[in-house]
Amino acid sequence: MLIKKIHVCVIDDGICADEINIYKNIQIRNGKAVSSLNVCKNNSHGTGCAKVITKRAEKDILISSVSILNRQCKGNIQSLCTAFAWCVENDVDIINLSLGSVFFRDKELLLSAVNRCAENGIVIVGATSNEGYVTYPASFTNVLGVRSFDEKEKRGCVARYDTNLGFGLFETQGSEKIYINGMEKTTSWCNSVAAPQITAKIINVYEEGISPIAIRNMFGNELLKINCFGIDWASKAYAQNIHELIPKWCVCKIINKEMETSLDIADTVITQKADNIKRWLEAGKNIIYIGDDVIDYESSNSYVWSKYNRIQQIHYNQIAQQGISEVPVIFIEGVCALKYIYGLEKMFREKDYHAYSISHSILYELYGITYIPTEIMDADKVNNFIRNELYYKQGDILLYDISGIDEKSAAKNTKLSPDIIIDTTEKNVTISSEYGSRTVADSIESVGNYIIELLEGEGRENDEQ
């Protein structure tokens, strides 16, 4: 029987055809995938990555190259999304991505492209930033994020939790000896080299249909009970008898059809009933549990997210970043708090302000707002988690829904006094700061513009006139 070769694609700045036998050689130009002219230099970054893969891979592979970077190793997210689409259309099995973005506005665009690859069974290995910041797409659950690290007591590849990467893979090698133009070369110690090292290890255990969950478990020296920390993997969800709780702002598409049809289409079930979870898992569905119970269901095939996951994530955060005292803190309360925390985050994003939002309502996780369980009584742990999230995600503003908590406790959780407090009603909004209070009409735009004036120093002048 003819064994199918594993199709590996290196998305980078190109691979030199004189050094590597390339299966398909592609460049992304003006948003389209076109055949490359084979002018790539043998010292290109992509050539080095391909050399590491071919040196360590023990199975027969086909290597394709998709070049999205220029000679200065610069590219754009649109080209990367086009490269992902090419991989789907050309039956790629594994993608090696020794690059990424730390710009928060790139997250949404990349997430859709990554999840489409995952739906088509493509394994993506992505390097995280060498500076340590949260990197897209390496930080996504459907991507095997990679970091190099040096711990003498640990050798090889391990799976573990890291504040800025989530549940990722860590490679102790970091650098590699390869031959370029017949001469031995030692690569630098960096995450972009660790990525192809791990790509090769995945090739060696690869079977068609293998999932990121299974791969992480293979390399985990101490398997974590949980397999995700967020719900960025959800694409199409069936909400079990809770449609009234799920608004149009949900992070994934909600299917509003008959139950049988919905379950055929859905990859995820959102439920408040813990006793149904086992049945949905047996049906091969991912789970978002928004009930009150603290559950710890384990699955080697499906993602399961619940309050327990966030409690564990906060527990795993050990580092406490101190350098975020300059980040403005905005408390939001009242009956329209959700409308404003969601709307202001979106408005700020459009103006290139990265607002990091938190709430004590588990439903808010479905809106892309980070849920903080009230069961965690240790304010220091909560504070460490918030500070790390702000630091590693490079947040400019902290939006805090304090509807379910008093102002004193909220300030204790952040260890920062609020710069602005927004009290929302169905008719108007009161905005309080050190410059006084102002009541404005119920409008995201008017509230957001006034807050920007305050943050940029213009609000004080306007209030004093």
Side-chain angles (χ1 to χ4, degrees):
M1 182 178 69
L2 184 63
I3 299 177
K4 176 182 176 291
K5 292 185 177 181
I6 300 169
H7 188 185
V8 180
C9 181
V10 175
I11 301 177
D12 213 287
D13 62 347
I15 298 174
C16 177
D18 293 335
E19 296 286 339
I20 298 287
N21 183 22
I22 306 173
Y23 176 52
K24 292 185 179 181
N25 201 356
I26 301 297
Q27 285 183 320
I28 305 300
R29 292 181 182 173
N30 300 319
K32 295 182 179 180
V34 298
S35 296
S36 174
L37 299 176
N38 288 328
V39 295
C40 183
K41 295 182 179 180
N42 60 12
N43 64 348
S44 72
H45 189 265
T47 300
C49 291
K51 282 280 187 176
V52 173
I53 293 169
T54 55
K55 174 184 175 182
R56 289 180 167 266
E58 298 170 359
K59 292 185 178 181
D60 289 336
I61 61 174
L62 300 171
I63 285 194
S64 290
S65 171
V66 177
S67 175
I68 66 168
L69 304 179
N70 58 25
R71 292 181 179 178
Q72 288 73 44
C73 284
K74 301 293 183 182
N76 59 63
I77 293 304
Q78 288 74 23
S79 294
L80 179 52
C81 289
T82 302
F84 283 143
W86 182 90
C87 290
V88 171
E89 294 165 2
N90 287 271
D91 298 322
V92 169
D93 298 306
I94 302 173
I95 294 172
N96 183 90
L97 191 68
S98 291
L99 52 86
S101 171
V102 296
F103 184 42
F104 71 98
R105 289 189 65 176
D106 292 336
K107 177 182 177 180
E108 188 174 350
L109 195 61
L110 278 174
L111 184 58
S112 176
V114 162
N115 287 345
R116 184 172 176 233
C117 286
E119 289 168 7
N120 284 272
I122 299 176
V123 175
I124 302 176
V125 182
T128 196
S129 163
N130 289 316
E131 286 72 34
Y133 294 117
V134 168
T135 308
Y136 311 110
S139 62
F140 297 154
T141 308
N142 271 330
V143 174
L144 294 158
V146 172
R147 271 191 61 194
S148 60
F149 75 118
D150 186 14
E151 292 186 10
K152 293 181 179 179
E153 70 275 11
K154 294 179 180 178
R155 274 297 177 251
C157 172
V158 296
R160 68 178 189 183
Y161 175 75
D162 187 70
T163 301
N164 60 340
L165 183 57
F167 190 8
L169 299 177
F170 296 76
E171 173 59 60
T172 60
Q173 293 296 118
S175 64
E176 187 79 42
K177 290 183 178 180
I178 57 176
Y179 284 87
I180 299 291
N181 197 25
M183 298 180 63
E184 187 179 79
K185 174 185 176 183
T186 301
T187 68
S188 57
W189 183 294
C190 57
N191 297 336
S192 62
V193 174
Q197 289 173 332
I198 288 183
T199 293
K201 290 180 178 180
I202 292 172
I203 289 169
N204 297 338
V205 299
Y206 179 83
E207 293 181 0
E208 190 172 352
I210 197 169
S211 70
I213 301 172
I215 292 170
R216 288 188 183 100
N217 285 343
M218 285 180 181
F219 294 110
N221 54 344
E222 294 179 4
L223 299 185
L224 300 178
K225 284 187 175 182
I226 47 184
N227 56 37
C228 65
F229 290 103
I231 54 176
D232 58 357
W233 35 264
S235 179
K236 296 180 285 292
Y238 168 70
Q240 186 195 18
N241 301 323
I242 51 173
H243 285 89
E244 71 280 0
L245 299 177
I246 314 295
K248 60 183 179 180
W249 306 330
C250 189
V251 295
C252 59
K253 181 179 179 181
I254 302 297
I255 303 167
N256 294 311
K257 295 183 179 180
E258 294 297 326
M259 176 176 166
E260 291 77 10
T261 306
S262 297
L263 284 175
D264 287 340
I265 300 172
D267 58 62
T268 300
V269 174
I270 305 174
T271 182
Q272 282 183 310
K273 296 183 178 180
D275 53 1
N276 288 331
I277 292 177
K278 185 177 180 180
R279 179 158 59 98
W280 301 135
L281 288 175
E282 290 174 350
K285 303 300 179 182
N286 301 314
I287 303 294
I288 300 173
Y289 174 65
I290 57 173
D292 294 327
D293 296 333
V294 178
I295 65 166
D296 60 349
Y297 278 88
E298 298 178 41
S299 175
S300 57
N301 300 305
S302 301
Y303 293 122
V304 182
W305 185 89
S306 72
K307 178 187 301 185
Y308 176 80
N309 296 55
R310 185 54 43 77
I311 290 173
Q312 289 298 97
Q313 184 179 12
I314 293 172
H315 170 74
Y316 284 127
N317 275 269
Q318 302 297 328
I319 305 170
Q321 293 296 336
Q322 302 300 326
I324 64 162
S325 57
E326 299 302 317
V327 174
V329 178
I330 302 175
F331 286 177
I332 304 176
E333 58 186 346
V335 295
C336 295
L338 174 57
K339 169 186 171 181
Y340 274 90
I341 195 170
Y342 180 85
L344 289 174
E345 182 183 281
K346 183 178 180 181
M347 179 179 176
F348 292 151
R349 182 169 63 245
E350 291 170 351
K351 295 181 180 293
D352 281 348
Y353 287 102
H354 185 197
Y356 173 68
S357 304
I358 60 176
S359 172
H360 294 290
S361 169
I362 194 169
L363 274 173
Y364 280 38
E365 190 77 19
L366 298 174
Y367 308 70
I369 297 164
T370 302
Y371 161 62
I372 308 288
T374 53
E375 283 84 351
I376 301 175
M377 305 302 293
D378 190 334
D380 286 337
K381 284 190 174 181
V382 173
N383 176 252
N384 287 350
F385 176 74
I386 294 171
R387 285 176 176 268
N388 287 336
E389 290 278 288
L390 278 167
Y391 178 81
Y392 288 113
K393 292 181 178 177
Q394 302 183 79
D396 300 311
I397 302 168
L398 174 62
L399 297 178
Y400 192 168
D401 164 41
I402 64 168
S403 299
I405 191 173
D406 61 88
E407 187 179 323
K408 183 178 180 181
S409 297
K412 187 177 180 181
N413 283 340
T414 60
K415 291 188 179 178
L416 295 170
S417 299
D419 298 282
I420 299 171
I421 298 176
I422 303 174
D423 188 7
T424 67
T425 70
E426 294 179 349
K427 293 183 178 180
N428 53 48
V429 177
T430 301
I431 305 168
S432 303
S433 70
E434 62 179 305
Y435 308 126
S437 296
R438 176 186 287 191
T439 299
V440 301
D442 178 22
S443 163
I444 297 292
E445 184 176 4
S446 60
V447 172
N449 285 333
Y450 178 57
I451 289 173
I452 290 174
E453 288 178 8
L454 288 172
L455 297 179
E456 294 180 349
E458 299 173 9
R460 178 177 183 176
E461 297 174 7
N462 293 338
D463 285 340
E464 289 177 345
Q465 292 177 358

